[in-house]
Amino acid sequence: QVQLVESGGGLVQPGGSLRLSCAASIRIFSINVMGWYRQAPGKQRDLVAVITSGGSTHFADSVKDRFTISRDNAKNTVYLQMNSLKPEDTAVYYCNAVVYPADYWGQGTQVTVSS
């Protein structure tokens, strides 16, 4: 079993930045893939960014060049740095961890981009 705890969400103005953190209950070097997904009201949950145990990353087209994902193995934490935020980035952001074949989710953190 893997517990994931997200933090760092909040209200930010358009053009602003936020950094989300996801702390895992196990050593993240043993997690195959970690990532962030988001779900806006009335919409499906979509991938934002993922990072593999080897450090490879993948981003949704809508956040490329604005968001970065990184991992700190010493702190068992994955980060999502979000810059140049837009109102359409407003959503609940969920941390995900894949430890084959299981799939784990955090409780989510709200990000609201509004003036």
Side-chain angles (χ1 to χ4, degrees), residues 38-68:
R38 66 186 181 188
Q39 187 168 20
K43 296 189 177 181
Q44 67 182 21
R45 189 175 297 187
D46 291 326
L47 180 147
V48 176
V50 294
I51 185 166
T52 69
S53 56
S56 298
T57 59
H58 174 76
F59 296 89
D61 288 342
S62 59
V63 306
K64 279 180 182 176
D65 301 324
R66 298 189 297 124
F67 292 10
T68 58

Short mmCIF file of all heavy atoms in Angstrom, two decimals, residues 38-68:
data_model
loop_
_atom_site.label_atom_id
_atom_site.label_comp_id
_atom_site.label_asym_id
_atom_site.label_seq_id
_atom_site.Cartn_x
_atom_site.Cartn_y
_atom_site.Cartn_z
N ARG A 38 -5.27 16.06 -13.37
CA ARG A 38 -6.19 17.09 -12.88
C ARG A 38 -7.59 16.84 -13.41
O ARG A 38 -7.78 16.25 -14.48
CB ARG A 38 -5.70 18.48 -13.27
CG ARG A 38 -5.71 18.78 -14.77
CD ARG A 38 -5.06 20.14 -15.04
NE ARG A 38 -5.06 20.49 -16.45
CZ ARG A 38 -4.43 21.54 -16.96
NH1 ARG A 38 -3.74 22.36 -16.16
NH2 ARG A 38 -4.49 21.79 -18.26
N GLN A 39 -8.55 17.33 -12.61
CA GLN A 39 -9.95 17.16 -12.97
C GLN A 39 -10.69 18.44 -12.68
O GLN A 39 -10.78 18.87 -11.52
CB GLN A 39 -10.57 15.99 -12.21
CG GLN A 39 -11.96 15.63 -12.65
CD GLN A 39 -12.43 14.31 -12.09
OE1 GLN A 39 -11.90 13.80 -11.10
NE2 GLN A 39 -13.41 13.70 -12.73
N ALA A 40 -11.22 19.05 -13.73
CA ALA A 40 -12.03 20.24 -13.60
C ALA A 40 -13.49 19.81 -13.42
O ALA A 40 -13.88 18.71 -13.81
CB ALA A 40 -11.88 21.13 -14.82
N PRO A 41 -14.33 20.68 -12.85
CA PRO A 41 -15.73 20.32 -12.64
C PRO A 41 -16.41 19.89 -13.94
O PRO A 41 -16.31 20.58 -14.95
CB PRO A 41 -16.35 21.62 -12.09
CG PRO A 41 -15.19 22.32 -11.44
CD PRO A 41 -14.00 22.00 -12.30
N GLY A 42 -17.08 18.75 -13.88
CA GLY A 42 -17.81 18.26 -15.04
C GLY A 42 -16.95 17.65 -16.14
O GLY A 42 -17.46 17.31 -17.21
N LYS A 43 -15.65 17.51 -15.87
CA LYS A 43 -14.76 16.95 -16.90
C LYS A 43 -14.07 15.71 -16.38
O LYS A 43 -14.06 15.42 -15.18
CB LYS A 43 -13.72 18.00 -17.31
CG LYS A 43 -14.33 19.22 -17.99
CD LYS A 43 -13.27 20.11 -18.58
CE LYS A 43 -13.89 21.29 -19.33
NZ LYS A 43 -12.86 22.16 -19.94
N GLN A 44 -13.46 14.97 -17.29
CA GLN A 44 -12.74 13.76 -16.89
C GLN A 44 -11.38 14.14 -16.31
O GLN A 44 -10.90 15.26 -16.46
CB GLN A 44 -12.53 12.85 -18.09
CG GLN A 44 -11.61 13.41 -19.17
CD GLN A 44 -11.48 12.47 -20.37
OE1 GLN A 44 -12.32 11.62 -20.61
NE2 GLN A 44 -10.42 12.63 -21.13
N ARG A 45 -10.79 13.18 -15.62
CA ARG A 45 -9.46 13.38 -15.06
C ARG A 45 -8.43 13.17 -16.17
O ARG A 45 -8.42 12.14 -16.84
CB ARG A 45 -9.22 12.38 -13.92
CG ARG A 45 -7.96 12.65 -13.13
CD ARG A 45 -7.85 11.71 -11.95
NE ARG A 45 -8.94 11.92 -10.99
CZ ARG A 45 -8.98 11.32 -9.80
NH1 ARG A 45 -8.01 10.49 -9.43
NH2 ARG A 45 -10.01 11.53 -8.99
N ASP A 46 -7.56 14.16 -16.35
CA ASP A 46 -6.59 14.13 -17.43
C ASP A 46 -5.16 14.16 -16.90
O ASP A 46 -4.88 14.77 -15.87
CB ASP A 46 -6.77 15.34 -18.36
CG ASP A 46 -8.06 15.28 -19.17
OD1 ASP A 46 -8.48 14.16 -19.54
OD2 ASP A 46 -8.64 16.36 -19.42
N LEU A 47 -4.28 13.54 -17.66
CA LEU A 47 -2.86 13.56 -17.31
C LEU A 47 -2.31 14.96 -17.48
O LEU A 47 -2.62 15.66 -18.46
CB LEU A 47 -2.10 12.58 -18.20
CG LEU A 47 -0.59 12.46 -17.99
CD1 LEU A 47 -0.14 11.03 -18.27
CD2 LEU A 47 0.18 13.41 -18.90
N VAL A 48 -1.46 15.38 -16.53
CA VAL A 48 -0.75 16.66 -16.63
C VAL A 48 0.72 16.40 -16.93
O VAL A 48 1.27 16.92 -17.89
CB VAL A 48 -0.89 17.46 -15.33
CG1 VAL A 48 -0.07 18.75 -15.40
CG2 VAL A 48 -2.35 17.77 -15.03
N ALA A 49 1.35 15.58 -16.08
CA ALA A 49 2.78 15.29 -16.26
C ALA A 49 3.12 14.03 -15.50
O ALA A 49 2.52 13.74 -14.46
CB ALA A 49 3.63 16.46 -15.74
N VAL A 50 4.08 13.27 -16.02
CA VAL A 50 4.57 12.09 -15.33
C VAL A 50 6.08 12.06 -15.38
O VAL A 50 6.70 12.67 -16.26
CB VAL A 50 4.01 10.78 -15.93
CG1 VAL A 50 2.51 10.67 -15.72
CG2 VAL A 50 4.38 10.64 -17.39
N ILE A 51 6.65 11.34 -14.43
CA ILE A 51 8.10 11.13 -14.39
C ILE A 51 8.35 9.69 -14.00
O ILE A 51 7.72 9.16 -13.08
CB ILE A 51 8.78 12.13 -13.41
CG1 ILE A 51 10.30 11.97 -13.47
CG2 ILE A 51 8.25 11.99 -11.99
CD1 ILE A 51 11.04 13.13 -12.79
N THR A 52 9.26 9.04 -14.72
CA THR A 52 9.55 7.64 -14.44
C THR A 52 10.67 7.52 -13.41
O THR A 52 11.34 8.51 -13.06
CB THR A 52 9.99 6.91 -15.72
OG1 THR A 52 11.28 7.41 -16.12
CG2 THR A 52 8.99 7.14 -16.84
N SER A 53 10.89 6.30 -12.95
CA SER A 53 11.97 6.07 -12.00
C SER A 53 13.32 6.41 -12.60
O SER A 53 14.27 6.73 -11.88
CB SER A 53 11.95 4.62 -11.52
OG SER A 53 12.02 3.73 -12.63
N GLY A 54 13.40 6.35 -13.94
CA GLY A 54 14.64 6.70 -14.61
C GLY A 54 14.79 8.18 -14.90
O GLY A 54 15.83 8.62 -15.41
N GLY A 55 13.75 8.95 -14.59
CA GLY A 55 13.82 10.40 -14.77
C GLY A 55 13.22 10.92 -16.06
O GLY A 55 13.22 12.13 -16.30
N SER A 56 12.69 10.04 -16.89
CA SER A 56 12.03 10.50 -18.11
C SER A 56 10.73 11.19 -17.77
O SER A 56 10.03 10.79 -16.82
CB SER A 56 11.76 9.31 -19.04
OG SER A 56 12.97 8.70 -19.44
N THR A 57 10.40 12.22 -18.53
CA THR A 57 9.19 12.99 -18.26
C THR A 57 8.30 13.08 -19.49
O THR A 57 8.77 12.94 -20.63
CB THR A 57 9.52 14.41 -17.78
OG1 THR A 57 10.29 15.08 -18.80
CG2 THR A 57 10.33 14.39 -16.50
N HIS A 58 7.03 13.32 -19.22
CA HIS A 58 6.05 13.51 -20.30
C HIS A 58 5.03 14.52 -19.81
O HIS A 58 4.61 14.45 -18.65
CB HIS A 58 5.38 12.20 -20.67
CG HIS A 58 4.28 12.37 -21.66
ND1 HIS A 58 4.51 12.59 -23.01
CD2 HIS A 58 2.93 12.38 -21.50
CE1 HIS A 58 3.35 12.72 -23.63
NE2 HIS A 58 2.38 12.60 -22.74
N PHE A 59 4.64 15.43 -20.70
CA PHE A 59 3.70 16.48 -20.33
C PHE A 59 2.53 16.53 -21.31
O PHE A 59 2.69 16.24 -22.49
CB PHE A 59 4.39 17.85 -20.34
CG PHE A 59 5.49 17.98 -19.33
CD1 PHE A 59 6.78 17.62 -19.65
CD2 PHE A 59 5.22 18.45 -18.06
CE1 PHE A 59 7.81 17.73 -18.72
CE2 PHE A 59 6.23 18.58 -17.12
CZ PHE A 59 7.52 18.21 -17.45
N ALA A 60 1.39 16.93 -20.80
CA ALA A 60 0.27 17.23 -21.67
C ALA A 60 0.64 18.44 -22.52
O ALA A 60 1.36 19.34 -22.06
CB ALA A 60 -0.98 17.52 -20.85
N ASP A 61 0.14 18.47 -23.75
CA ASP A 61 0.47 19.59 -24.64
C ASP A 61 0.07 20.94 -24.04
O ASP A 61 0.75 21.94 -24.24
CB ASP A 61 -0.24 19.40 -25.99
CG ASP A 61 0.37 18.29 -26.82
OD1 ASP A 61 1.52 17.88 -26.53
OD2 ASP A 61 -0.31 17.82 -27.75
N SER A 62 -1.01 20.94 -23.28
CA SER A 62 -1.54 22.20 -22.74
C SER A 62 -0.64 22.82 -21.67
O SER A 62 -0.80 24.00 -21.35
CB SER A 62 -2.94 21.97 -22.16
OG SER A 62 -2.89 21.01 -21.13
N VAL A 63 0.31 22.04 -21.13
CA VAL A 63 1.15 22.58 -20.06
C VAL A 63 2.63 22.60 -20.41
O VAL A 63 3.45 23.09 -19.63
CB VAL A 63 0.95 21.79 -18.73
CG1 VAL A 63 -0.52 21.75 -18.35
CG2 VAL A 63 1.54 20.40 -18.82
N LYS A 64 2.95 22.07 -21.58
CA LYS A 64 4.36 22.07 -22.00
C LYS A 64 4.90 23.49 -21.99
O LYS A 64 4.22 24.43 -22.37
CB LYS A 64 4.50 21.49 -23.41
CG LYS A 64 4.49 19.98 -23.45
CD LYS A 64 4.63 19.46 -24.88
CE LYS A 64 4.58 17.95 -24.91
NZ LYS A 64 4.62 17.43 -26.30
N ASP A 65 6.14 23.63 -21.58
CA ASP A 65 6.84 24.92 -21.51
C ASP A 65 6.35 25.81 -20.37
O ASP A 65 6.86 26.92 -20.19
CB ASP A 65 6.71 25.69 -22.84
CG ASP A 65 7.29 24.93 -24.02
OD1 ASP A 65 8.31 24.24 -23.84
OD2 ASP A 65 6.70 25.02 -25.11
N ARG A 66 5.35 25.35 -19.61
CA ARG A 66 4.89 26.11 -18.45
C ARG A 66 5.08 25.34 -17.14
O ARG A 66 5.35 25.93 -16.09
CB ARG A 66 3.41 26.48 -18.59
CG ARG A 66 3.11 27.36 -19.79
CD ARG A 66 1.66 27.87 -19.73
NE ARG A 66 0.68 26.80 -19.81
CZ ARG A 66 -0.27 26.61 -18.88
NH1 ARG A 66 -0.36 27.40 -17.83
NH2 ARG A 66 -1.14 25.62 -19.03
N PHE A 67 4.93 24.02 -17.20
CA PHE A 67 5.02 23.18 -16.02
C PHE A 67 6.27 22.32 -16.08
O PHE A 67 6.70 21.90 -17.16
CB PHE A 67 3.81 22.24 -15.90
CG PHE A 67 2.49 22.90 -15.61
CD1 PHE A 67 2.32 24.28 -15.66
CD2 PHE A 67 1.39 22.13 -15.29
CE1 PHE A 67 1.10 24.87 -15.40
CE2 PHE A 67 0.15 22.70 -15.03
CZ PHE A 67 0.02 24.07 -15.09
N THR A 68 6.84 22.03 -14.92
CA THR A 68 7.92 21.06 -14.84
C THR A 68 7.62 20.08 -13.72
O THR A 68 6.96 20.43 -12.73
CB THR A 68 9.29 21.72 -14.59
OG1 THR A 68 9.22 22.49 -13.38
CG2 THR A 68 9.69 22.63 -15.73
#
